[in-house]
Amino acid sequence: MPRRTATMLASTLILIALLCAGVLIRVPYSEMSPGPTVNTLGDARGEPVLHISGHKTYPTSGNLNMTTVRVTGADYDMNIVEAVYGWLAHDSVVVPHDTLYPDGKTEEESTQENAEEFSLSQESAKVAALEELKIPVTSRVVVSTVVKDSAAEGVLHAGDVIKAVDGAAVEQPEDVAKLVTKHKPGEDVVFTVVPAKTAAAAEKAGKEPEGSKDVTLTTRKAPEDPSNPSEDRAIVGIQAGTDHTFPFEIDIKLADVGGPSAGLMFSLGIIDKLTPGKLTGGKFIAGTGTIDDDGKVGPIGGINMKLVGARDAGARYFLTPDDNCAAAASDTPSGLTLVRVKTLDDAKKSLEKIRTGDTASLPSCSAG
C-alpha cells in the first residue's frame, strides 16, 4: 500500500475513533437554548392566555410576549460532541449540569418546583396589576404547606387562615416564623386559625372568614444548620404564605411553562386588558422578569437565550430586569432594543414612550 494512502487511511480511522469516543463519552453538562415566546395578549392552543370575567375589558393590539428557555432534561447525558457543538453555537449555551439541577434534583422534582413557582408568579402578577390600577385585593396569611411528621401534621392544614400566634395578630407570612422562634424547642405556641374549609366557604360567599379557633402546638428543635451548629431554633413544621381574594376572575391559561419569570409580562397583559387604549400602540414588545405583590421586578436566568428567542419571534423591544441588564447588554441580538425596568410602573412608563415614539429617552442597559 502506498505511504500516502496508508497515511490517509490511518488518519481516517483515527478520526472515526475520535468521533466514536466523542459520542460515547458522557460529560456532566446541560444545554440551554431559546424556547417559545407567547403573546400574553393573544391565544395559546386556541384559548386566550388571559381570560377576565366579571369586569369590563378593552380591546388590545400588538404583542406583550413572555419568553422562555428550553433546557435538556435532568436524566439526559450529554456527550462530548454535543457539548463542543453547544459551546460553539451562538443560539445555545452549555452549562454544568448542577447549575440547572442542583443537589441531585431529578427532572420530576425540578418540573414540580417550576410548576409551583409558575403558579405563585401568576398570583403575584394579578395582585401587582390590580394594585397598580388601584383595584383592592383582599390578602390573608395562610398555612401554605405542612411538613410530614412535624408537630403541625394533622393539626394544621394547608389553607388554614392564620389570624394570630400567641395572641399577636399576623399581618405577613414572615410574622409567623418570628413569633414561633421567640419560643425555645419544647415550649407550647398557640395558633389562632380559621379552618381551610370555613375560609373557602366564606370566600365563595364573598365574605370575610369567621369562626376562628385556638390550636396549641409544642415546638420542636429545627434541624441543625451546619453554618450555625449552636443554633437552638424552635419550629412547628409549617410554611406560611399569602392567599388572595380577587374582586373578579382572572384566569391565566398557559400549559408546559414553568418558573416565575413571566410575572412582569402577565401583569402588563392584565393591565392592558383592564384599561382603555392600547398599551403597546401596536408594537411588538417582549420581556421577562419575576414580579412580587408590590410590583418589584426581579432577575431571571437564561437572559441571553430569551433575547434570541424574542428577536427571532419578531420583537423590537425587550423589557429587561435591572439585575440582568449587564449580561443582556454584553450580547444583544441585532435589531432588539433593551429597556431597563425595576418596577411594574417603570415598565408602564416605558411602554408609553414606545407607544408615543419617545424612544430616545427609554432607560437602557449597559454592559458596564
Side-chain angles (χ1 to χ4, degrees):
M1 181 183 297
R3 179 177 295 179
R4 182 175 179 180
T5 302
T7 301
M8 291 181 63
L9 179 60
S11 299
T12 302
L13 291 175
I14 292 172
L15 178 60
I16 292 173
L18 290 173
L19 287 173
C20 289
V23 170
L24 294 173
I25 297 174
R26 302 294 168 172
V27 291
Y29 290 95
S30 296
E31 185 180 59
M32 301 170 63
S33 59
T37 74
V38 179
N39 185 10
T40 60
L41 302 177
D43 294 349
R45 298 185 178 181
E47 289 187 295
V49 175
L50 300 175
H51 181 267
I52 300 173
S53 59
H55 194 281
K56 182 176 177 58
T57 58
Y58 299 86
T60 61
S61 69
N63 289 63
L64 285 171
N65 279 44
M66 50 84 66
T67 50
T68 64
V69 174
R70 184 179 286 112
V71 299
T72 51
D75 301 326
Y76 182 76
D77 293 325
M78 179 176 286
N79 61 48
I80 291 179
V81 173
E82 291 171 319
V84 172
Y85 180 82
W87 278 318
L88 295 176
H90 181 70
D91 60 350
S92 66
V93 66
V94 174
V95 297
H97 185 275
D98 290 345
T99 301
L100 300 179
Y101 303 100
D103 303 322
K105 190 178 296 181
T106 66
E107 188 169 352
E108 182 179 356
E109 290 171 337
S110 180
T111 299
Q112 176 63 30
E113 182 178 298
N114 283 335
E116 291 173 357
E117 289 180 338
F118 186 60
S119 179
L120 290 173
S121 75
Q122 292 181 42
E123 289 296 292
S124 292
K126 297 175 190 178
V127 175
L130 296 189
E131 292 287 350
E132 182 71 20
L133 296 175
K134 310 301 181 186
I135 298 175
V137 176
T138 302
S139 303
R140 57 197 183 212
V141 178
V142 298
V143 176
S144 180
T145 57
V146 179
V147 178
K148 184 175 175 59
D149 297 326
S150 67
E153 185 180 24
V155 182
L156 295 178
H157 304 86
D160 288 349
V161 178
I162 305 173
K163 306 289 286 186
V165 175
D166 291 330
V170 169
E171 302 292 340
Q172 301 291 336
E174 52 268 26
D175 294 343
V176 178
K178 290 178 182 177
L179 291 166
V180 170
T181 53
K182 286 184 176 181
H183 292 270
K184 294 181 179 179
E187 294 181 348
D188 288 344
V189 57
V190 179
F191 278 72
T192 303
V193 299
V194 177
K197 289 184 178 179
T198 303
E203 181 177 346
K204 188 175 181 180
K207 300 178 180 179
E208 278 294 311
E210 298 178 351
S212 61
K213 64 177 183 179
D214 288 343
V215 175
T216 300
L217 298 172
T218 302
T219 61
R220 299 177 184 176
K221 183 179 178 180
E224 189 172 289
D225 181 357
S227 64
N228 190 6
S230 63
E231 183 181 39
D232 197 18
R233 184 166 56 90
I235 60 171
V236 295
I238 68 164
Q239 182 175 345
T242 305
D243 181 58
H244 305 286
T245 301
F246 299 101
F248 49 88
E249 183 180 350
I250 304 174
D251 193 13
I252 301 176
K253 292 185 178 181
L254 195 58
D256 303 324
V257 176
S261 65
L264 169 63
M265 303 313 290
F266 284 144
S267 285
L268 291 171
I270 292 168
I271 290 172
D272 200 2
K273 284 179 173 283
L274 290 175
T275 52
K278 296 174 174 59
L279 208 57
T280 68
K283 303 291 195 302
F284 194 136
I285 299 158
T288 189
T290 65
I291 200 159
D292 64 16
D293 291 359
D294 297 323
K296 182 180 179 182
V297 177
I300 50 81
I303 184 66
N304 296 103
M305 296 299 97
K306 293 185 175 183
L307 296 177
V308 173
R311 189 275 315 274
D312 290 348
R316 296 287 304 280
Y317 301 92
F318 194 92
L319 303 180
T320 311
D322 181 60
D323 289 339
N324 291 121
C325 259
S330 68
D331 190 17
T332 308
S334 60
L336 194 64
T337 298
L338 303 183
V339 181
R340 176 171 47 85
V341 294
K342 294 182 179 181
T343 66
L344 179 57
D345 189 57
D346 285 348
K348 276 184 60 187
K349 290 176 179 175
S350 290
L351 290 181
E352 182 180 358
K353 291 179 179 181
I354 293 171
R355 186 172 65 249
T356 59
D358 183 21
T359 56
S361 63
L362 284 170
S364 59
C365 291
S366 62

